[in-house]
Amino acid sequence: MKMITRPDALQQTCLECKKNKRIGLVPTMGYFHEGHLSLMDWTRKHCDVLVVSLFVNPSQFGPGEDLAAYPRDKERDIRLAREHGADILFIPQAGSMYAANHATWVEVPELAKGLCGRTRPVHFRGVATVVTKLFNLVQPEVAVFGEKDRQQLAIIKRMVRDLNMPVRVEGRPIVRESDGLALSSRNAYLTPEERAQAPALYAGLCAASGWIANGMRGISELLAGITAYYAEHLPAGRLDYFEVVDPESMQPVHMVEDAVILAVAMRMGRARLIDNILVESSVGSAGERKGEKG
Ligand code: PAF
């Protein structure tokens, strides 16, 4: 595995590789867990060259957010990237990624204003900008992201389409602990008491999916149901949002009529956890179930 710290060196190396090999890129902020490793494994299998970037991107953290505290373990990450077949591990310094007078930003405001964007107004601008920079440096055929950050994935897909970027964006399923908690580097912030309650975040989404399968269509009913669920099962949490959105536009729907994403963000002590599930078109199946009952 080649370790590269300088952006120009990464670009030079990848331009060479690209001539006769398919490059796959896994952008990360490090502190690897099984979710990151599953992205690397998938890319290893589908591409000739696996490039992993490890960069805690300052521009996606707002004032007062956890940039300084974000968990880091560089030596372990290097070992894991090597074990999972990375050919190139890119670990730049912040100063080499952003010039002192950096002045160019990539934004997808329509998709970034809701959900996490409401409380993290500069976050997705930072993500879209650094991902664009990584795409320009690596010029991958495929770039792979986890579905846990569903809004991020939708924004990156839209950016790639709108700006004709020559890269295929692949979203991969959320990896969960055996109790259902979605893996996240920020789970490290949870106290034992919070960790014990945290699986209820996903359990609540599954419960809501079940209510939809049983015919619940109204957003206010779903919100009331899930608020009560979390009050009972996740009292250590403070609900940031629960929203029912269209999978592509990430805009809230007024009623469940087709496939939707149920998305949630919850503050738990120092952590802010997010999770989501896709509920496939359920109108037909609920109708069929009703039909069966006669
Ligand atoms: O999902 C992440 O870890 C980050 O937002 C990303 C895509 C690596 C950009 O910094």
Side-chain angles (χ1 to χ4, degrees):
M1 181 177 79
K2 195 167 181 171
M3 305 241 303
I4 299 184
T5 54
R6 286 195 0 248
D8 60 339
L10 177 71
Q11 195 171 50
Q12 204 50 50
T13 306
C14 290
L15 277 172
E16 271 307 309
C17 285
K18 198 178 146 64
K19 286 181 186 158
N20 54 0
K21 295 192 171 100
R22 276 173 311 150
I23 302 181
L25 169 67
V26 178
T28 82
M29 298 208 300
Y31 208 64
F32 296 152
H33 51 64
E34 289 297 327
H36 297 113
L37 302 178
S38 74
L39 304 183
M40 293 181 208
D41 292 345
W42 186 91
T43 313
R44 178 69 281 160
K45 213 179 281 170
H46 291 86
C47 298
D48 304 316
V49 177
L50 167 58
V51 179
V52 177
S53 66
L54 192 173
F55 178 55
V56 182
N57 171 36
S59 74
Q60 67 188 75
F61 291 78
E65 290 187 356
D66 58 344
L67 172 61
Y70 194 83
R72 292 163 168 89
D73 190 341
K74 192 165 142 187
E75 293 316 311
R76 181 174 168 274
D77 285 349
I78 292 171
R79 178 174 57 76
L80 287 170
R82 187 176 284 120
E83 282 172 15
H84 286 261
D87 297 293
I88 297 174
L89 179 62
F90 177 54
I91 314 188
Q93 296 294 322
S96 68
M97 285 295 275
Y98 292 99
N101 59 352
H102 176 94
T104 308
W105 298 101
V106 183
E107 295 193 67
V108 191
E110 194 183 308
L111 274 69
K113 63 179 185 241
L115 302 168
C116 291
R118 209 167 293 124
T119 49
R120 307 189 71 194
V122 299
H123 175 64
F124 290 114
R125 180 184 88 154
V127 170
T129 302
V130 81
V131 169
T132 300
K133 288 165 75 68
L134 290 167
F135 285 0
N136 286 336
L137 293 173
V138 177
Q139 300 188 28
E141 190 167 309
V142 186
V144 189
F145 299 84
E147 287 179 344
K148 187 170 78 63
D149 300 296
R150 199 55 96 146
Q151 188 175 15
Q152 167 174 286
L153 182 60
I155 286 171
I156 292 166
K157 281 187 170 165
R158 185 69 67 89
M159 171 185 91
V160 162
R161 191 206 68 181
D162 288 354
L163 298 181
N164 306 95
M165 294 178 170
V167 53
R168 181 161 66 82
V169 175
E170 180 76 27
R172 300 294 305 153
I174 298 175
V175 179
R176 298 181 181 280
E177 301 277 10
S178 56
D179 59 11
L181 177 64
L183 295 188
S184 162
S185 303
R186 289 187 169 100
N187 291 352
Y189 296 151
L190 297 171
T191 64
E193 190 208 341
E194 288 160 357
R195 175 63 188 83
Q197 292 182 26
L201 193 64
Y202 177 55
L205 294 179
C206 294
S209 168
W211 303 331
I212 292 171
N214 286 323
M216 195 182 278
R217 297 283 169 262
I219 305 307
S220 49
E221 263 177 294
L222 284 166
L223 179 60
I226 203 139
T227 304
Y229 185 95
Y230 287 142
E232 184 180 346
H233 298 280
L234 221 161
R238 190 159 50 84
L239 188 62
D240 187 346
Y241 65 74
F242 166 76
E243 288 202 36
V244 184
V245 299
D246 175 85
E248 203 197 316
S249 71
M250 299 307 281
Q251 301 303 313
V253 299
H254 300 295
M255 202 165 163
V256 181
E257 286 175 321
D258 218 324
V260 288
I261 301 280
L262 307 182
V264 68
M266 181 74 72
R267 291 192 184 274
M268 294 191 76
R270 281 179 65 213
R272 179 176 175 280
L273 304 184
I274 57 172
D275 203 345
N276 70 83
I277 53 174
L278 173 68
V279 180
E280 303 283 1
S281 178
S282 50
V283 175
S285 55
E288 280 156 26
R289 246 186 297 279
K290 276 185 196 134
E292 277 164 22
K293 279 186 207 147

